[in-house]
Amino acid sequence: AWPPARSGRGENVRLVSEHFSQSPQKLSFYSWYGSARLFRFRVPPDTVLLRWLLQVSRGSGPACASVEITVYFRYGAPPVINPLGTSFPANSSVQSPFFIKMLDSNASLNISHPAAGDWFVAAHLPTASQKIEVKGFVPTCAYVFQPDMLVVRTVEVSILDLGCPVRLTVGAATLPRNFQKVFMCVSPTGACRLLLPSPPWDRWLQVTAKSLAGPRVLVAFQVVAALTACRPWNLNFQHLPQSSLNESCNASTGLLPPRPADHGDHGLGGSSRRHGGPCCLTSYPVIREDLDVVSVRFWPVDRVWVQVRPTTPSVMRLYMDTGMDSGGSLTVSLRANKTGITNSTLVAVCVNAASPFLGFRTSLNCTTAFFQGSPLTLSAASHKADLIIPYPETDNWYLSLQLVCPESPEECEQASVLVETTLTLVPCLNDCGPYGQCVLLRRHSYLYAGCSCKAGWRGWSCTDNSTAQTVAQQRVAALLLTLSNLMFLAPIAVSVHRSLLVEASVYAYTMFFSTFYHACDQPGEAVLCILGYDTLQYCDFLGSGVSIWVTILCMARLKAAQKHVLFLLGTLIFAMSLQLDRRGAWNMMGPCLFAFVVMVTMWVYRCGHRRHCYPTSWQRWAFYLLPGISMAALGIAIYTSMMTSDNYYYTHSLWHVLLAGSAACLLPPREEHTKPWACSQKLTCHYQICKNHREDLYTVT
């Protein structure tokens, strides 16, 4: 229960508590951003207290040990996390995330006066091991995470009586960085002042007062907000004379950014003042062009170049407050005209959210009232500058540019520089490069993107090569995984020689699709895809399962009709099970175990019928069955328990060799005293009936 708050007059402040919940998600061990589970909540306006209730439940069994869970919080966008300690791309602006660690038990987190809007929670288990585990073959434990959000918001606030000291908190709390301003007013007759440079545009500024005089002491205060503003000059791109811009900037008429609609009396008595001033910025209208999901391009109207002057900052406003723009990366690329920049001039650039940075004359730190922007510079030595902001906050962003001369200010009086701007919002930077795949992730209706890296490359955009494979290693791995499938030529040749044409067709199918699937599965320069990746993977898995199926049933020595019916039925079952779950171990092992039971049953039947062991030849056991069974057992052991991310290329290639070798050894021999094709009779019409020992086929002579 929330304790009631009372005003100085003894009246209860009207508070409303609300509870928000989302469906739980199963946590995963962390290997890339897609391993984290993301939750999105909307905090209502006028919230005075936010409480996160974090609940974790785990399954039962010996595999369910107590593990540490990391939970991240961020306002405005998904948290940018880096549990693996990898490097980000060059020129990236990344803030350290705010997180807490908890065991598989419940926890809570309180935030006073949070900012209204989207809040994101992400959680994951510790770093995943390098071992490749077959799904369903190794016991696992399910860790389920569910965050609940409880908020207390005000309906109205009463005016307090005149009295003693108060503590004022200006602004709302955000994570991972909090820019709230807190100051004390302790003098009954004195005044407390706070200067906020470039406060947020198009929104209310929250001011919270708290009495420091005790629970029963009456306190009153007055808040006066004085806004010092200027009139922005909006370019209309009608080829105005050079002097018209300077003349317009000398006007003294004040013009503030648009004021939000009135939300009613919040109970803080006071007044506001507006002071006009000279032109303080040059506003360049920007067109937003939506290209695709989380893909946007911003460009100035009717031009590419932006004119930067020393008198006023040039500002571009990027509309990114739709709520669906925070799941990608904001990229800013600037290029200055070489002829406009001298050795003593400098183009200072700031990228900020909520409001533009305008104080280039006093500082270049890009700090506004409630945001720390990202600085860039263009000079004679460096005409280009780039900036990458992963998961930008949901807000309007501003690009501010101004020409400054730190050493000789007089040189900047008549100077101007043209700067080319390339502003884009992309799902993944450079599409994750040649060693990664950009994956679009979804949580309900919210979309965000992440990079899944290959060949030992890591990092936010797969640019960290600290553990990467060399090009030579990649080529060797590709050759091993593809050429090892040529081992299937052995069972194909044996099958054709023994007139097992259906089996030979299955082995050829497996060899073909396994070769080209692994050729397509490689990163970088060693990749070759003749079909879609998903299609090749499905065909490879299907061929592997059916190859084992037909080999075991062929060893059972069933009648031709029975064998072919089981061949077809097993293929259909494999196709269905792989569509349901391609990675499930029992989807493949279940039908194979059934085929093994059929084979053992037929062998036992023949042993009882013939009164001696089947197969009867010790040479068959010594040179074919035992080697084939040994290779199959070793292959299964490698496939299920020995593969890791580092040795995958070698162990999986060995799996190809052992699977094909065991099939060649385990295929049954031809029946004794039976030719593969025998012509039983000749007809007078020049036709003859040629009969196979398993099927009746007719050929023309």
Side-chain angles (χ1 to χ4, degrees), residues 597-634:
V597 171
V598 172
M599 183 198 71
V600 172
T601 302
M602 294 303 299
W603 283 17
V604 171
Y605 169 76
R606 287 190 176 92
C607 288
H609 182 71
R610 300 182 180 184
R611 304 288 183 176
H612 53 75
C613 184
Y614 181 86
T616 57
S617 173
W618 67 269
Q619 293 92 342
R620 177 69 183 165
W621 282 96
F623 299 112
Y624 295 97
L625 292 181
L626 291 181
I629 294 173
S630 301
M631 285 189 288
L634 180 59

Side-chain angles (χ1 to χ4, degrees), residues 241-259:
Q242 187 72 20
S243 60
S244 62
L245 178 61
N246 297 331
E247 294 174 357
S248 301
C249 286
N250 292 329
S252 59
T253 304
L255 179 62
L256 291 173
R259 185 183 179 186

Side-chain angles (χ1 to χ4, degrees), residues 382-394:
S382 177
H383 295 87
K384 296 182 180 180
D386 298 296
L387 177 65
I388 304 167
I389 303 178
Y391 293 164
E393 295 181 8
T394 299

